């Protein structure tokens, strides 16, 4: 058991290397606070070549060029908003992995919640309708017939 | 209410329509953020002394311009080259090349082999000018009007039908 635990911990420690996914030969900013800010911005920018990755993750050449630009601008004192705005001016809103909430993107942001709520509502209503009403209670006449039938059965062995 | 039994069918038809439209969309082709705006500020030196470089001002000097981003290492650029030669031959548009992250000798070899339709060939060695244009792959082709406004961007190789159905009519309409 102990060996399993140790093996698991070893795997976790080894995988920590992958957390710094940026290219090994890249020049990071000397100021760690600035580098952290640059990395945070990179995580929010889409790599347009490998479109489901951020430029922080992607190996594409363009991603590397864009990372360099992000670092330059952060080192020059630009805010994250300004750096992202620079990218959006050239590549459009699609370059942001988290599109801003606006009239145009409202459908994108709200649709999943709306679909979920609608689905829950529909399920709830259909469950209410499907719950069987149970057989109606017996009328006096039917109760009398039932007693008769039961008595007849008791007479027969 | 006779409508209730039709509800699953209506949902299905709606979903099928949305997905069918989705099949025709091309998310790989990002629309250019520059369309309708002036060309970015830039200045490119020539790839060698057999040609000239160009700047943003050249593109606003009147007349239709076709700006093609290419590289000798780019296979689709070979495929589209005849179409660029056709634009040079059949229209009055001026053709400008941005040699993107390419060795100047290699760009020159490429054009020597396939033909040179360009009035100017700028060397964008580190790709920064490409980034100013919102370039994310090669080849890309921009159509610029006489006032230096980007009117259209084509992503990927310009095939014959792109030429005949989109680019040539647009160039003619702009007066090129």
């Amino acid at each position: 058991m102990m060996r399993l635990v140790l093996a698991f911990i070893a795997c976790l420690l080894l995988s920590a290397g992958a957390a710094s996914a940026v290219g090994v030969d890249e020049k990071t900013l000397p100021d760690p606070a600035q580098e952290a800010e640059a990395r945070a911005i990179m995580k929010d920018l889409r790599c347009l070549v490998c479109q489901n990755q951020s430029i922080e993750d992607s190996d594409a050449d363009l991603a590397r060029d864009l990372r360099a630009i992000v670092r330059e601008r952060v080192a020059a004192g630009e805010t994250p908003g300004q750096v992202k705005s620079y990218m959006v001016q050239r590549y459009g809103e699609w370059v942001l992995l988290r599109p801003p909430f606006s009239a145009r993107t409202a459908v994108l942001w709200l649709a999943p919640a709306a679909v979920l709520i609608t689905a829950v509502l529909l399920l709830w209503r259909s469950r209410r309708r499907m719950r069987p009403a149970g057989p109606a209670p017996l009328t006096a006449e039917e109760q009398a017939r039932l007693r008769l039938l039961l008595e007849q059965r008791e007479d027969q062995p | 209410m006779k409508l209730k039994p039709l509800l699953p069918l209506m949902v299905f038809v709606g979903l099928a329509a949305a997905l069918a439209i989705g099949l025709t969309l091309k998310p790989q082709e990002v629309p250019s953020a520059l369309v309708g705006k002036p060309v970015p500020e830039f200045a490119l030196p020539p790839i060698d002394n057999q040609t000239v470089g160009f700047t943003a001002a050249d593109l606003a000097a009147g007349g239709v311009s076709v700006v093609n981003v290419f590289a000798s290492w780019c296979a689709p650029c070979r495929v589209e080259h005849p179409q660029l030669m056709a634009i040079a031959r059949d229209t009055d548009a001026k053709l400008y090349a941005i040699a993107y992250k390419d060795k100047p000798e290699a760009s020159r070899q490429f054009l020597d082999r396939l033909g040179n339709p360009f009035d100017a060939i700028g060397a964008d060695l580190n790709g920064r000018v490409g980034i100013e244009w919102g370039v994310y792959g090669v080849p890309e082709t921009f159509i610029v009007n006489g006032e230096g406004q980007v009117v259209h961007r084509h992503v990927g190789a310009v095939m014959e039908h792109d030429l005949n159905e989109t680019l040539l009519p647009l160039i003619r309409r702009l007066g090129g």
Side-chain angles (χ1 to χ4, degrees):
Chain A
M1 183 59 192
M2 193 53 188
R3 282 204 298 177
L4 257 179
V5 174
L6 283 175
F8 180 64
I9 294 177
C11 285
L12 280 179
L13 288 173
L14 283 171
S15 70
S20 56
V22 178
V24 180
D25 55 350
E26 265 182 36
K27 286 227 286 264
T28 59
L29 292 174
D31 177 355
Q34 280 189 336
E35 175 67 15
E37 194 178 304
R39 292 287 187 94
I41 298 171
M42 290 174 200
K43 286 198 174 86
D44 273 343
L45 292 174
R46 184 190 307 274
C47 171
L48 291 150
V49 180
C50 318
Q51 292 186 346
N52 279 328
Q53 289 183 304
S54 70
I55 60 171
E56 206 237 0
D57 296 331
S58 173
D59 285 331
D61 258 12
L62 179 65
R64 196 170 25 158
D65 292 345
L66 292 178
R67 285 198 293 266
I69 291 181
V70 170
R71 288 196 173 100
E72 277 167 29
R73 301 190 91 92
V74 167
E78 284 194 12
T79 68
Q82 287 171 319
V83 178
K84 289 185 192 170
S85 168
Y86 175 90
M87 294 294 177
V88 168
Q89 269 173 33
R90 283 148 188 77
Y91 289 100
E93 255 182 14
W94 178 246
V95 78
L96 297 174
L97 274 171
R98 245 185 301 205
F101 189 87
S102 68
R104 274 190 319 137
T105 59
V107 177
L108 176 67
W109 278 103
L110 299 175
V115 168
L116 188 62
I117 291 173
T118 310
V120 166
L121 267 173
L122 285 176
L123 273 173
W124 184 58
R125 282 180 54 197
S126 75
R127 279 193 80 204
R128 282 237 304 230
R129 239 178 283 129
M130 265 172 47
R131 205 168 295 150
L138 298 176
T139 65
E141 222 183 85
E142 288 165 336
Q143 279 184 2
R145 272 176 52 205
L146 180 61
R147 231 176 289 125
L148 255 179
L149 285 169
L150 287 176
E151 284 165 7
Q152 282 180 355
R153 279 194 65 203
E154 281 171 8
D155 288 343
Q156 296 162 11
Chain B
M1 261 236 301
K2 288 216 195 116
L3 212 47
K4 280 233 182 95
L6 285 182
L7 199 58
L9 180 64
M10 283 161 46
V11 169
F12 170 77
V13 169
L15 192 60
L19 293 175
I21 293 173
L23 276 176
T24 66
L25 299 177
K26 296 183 205 149
Q28 290 292 100
E29 291 184 5
V30 181
S32 169
L34 295 185
V35 171
K37 300 214 198 105
V39 299
E41 278 307 313
F42 71 97
L44 283 175
I47 58 166
D48 54 26
N49 52 18
Q50 291 176 54
T51 184
V52 292
F54 64 107
T55 69
D58 295 320
L59 299 174
V64 185
S65 310
V66 176
V67 179
N68 177 253
V69 185
F70 86 100
S72 61
W73 45 261
C74 153
C77 300
R78 297 187 158 254
V79 173
E80 73 167 2
H81 208 73
Q83 280 70 263
L84 296 174
M85 302 294 288
I87 294 178
R89 192 183 57 229
D90 300 336
T91 74
D92 290 330
K94 290 183 95 170
L95 278 91
Y96 297 88
I98 299 181
Y100 179 81
K101 301 186 104 175
D102 203 12
K103 292 209 180 93
E105 316 84 64
S107 310
R108 177 54 69 187
Q109 245 188 7
F110 177 95
L111 296 174
D112 281 343
R113 274 202 207 122
L114 299 178
N116 179 13
F118 298 116
D119 297 291
I121 308 164
D124 184 13
L125 297 174
N126 60 11
R128 287 296 178 98
V129 172
I131 289 178
E132 292 299 308
W133 282 78
V135 168
Y136 66 101
V138 257
E140 286 186 18
T141 305
F142 297 82
I143 311 287
V144 179
N145 68 13
E147 284 92 54
Q149 261 195 352
V150 176
V151 170
H152 182 74
R153 162 165 87 173
H154 183 89
V155 169
V158 173
M159 308 303 281
E160 251 197 82
H161 67 86
D162 300 311
L163 184 69
N164 295 325
E165 285 167 34
T166 311
L167 296 187
L168 284 182
L170 179 57
I171 292 172
R172 302 238 165 83
R173 227 189 343 210
L174 293 171

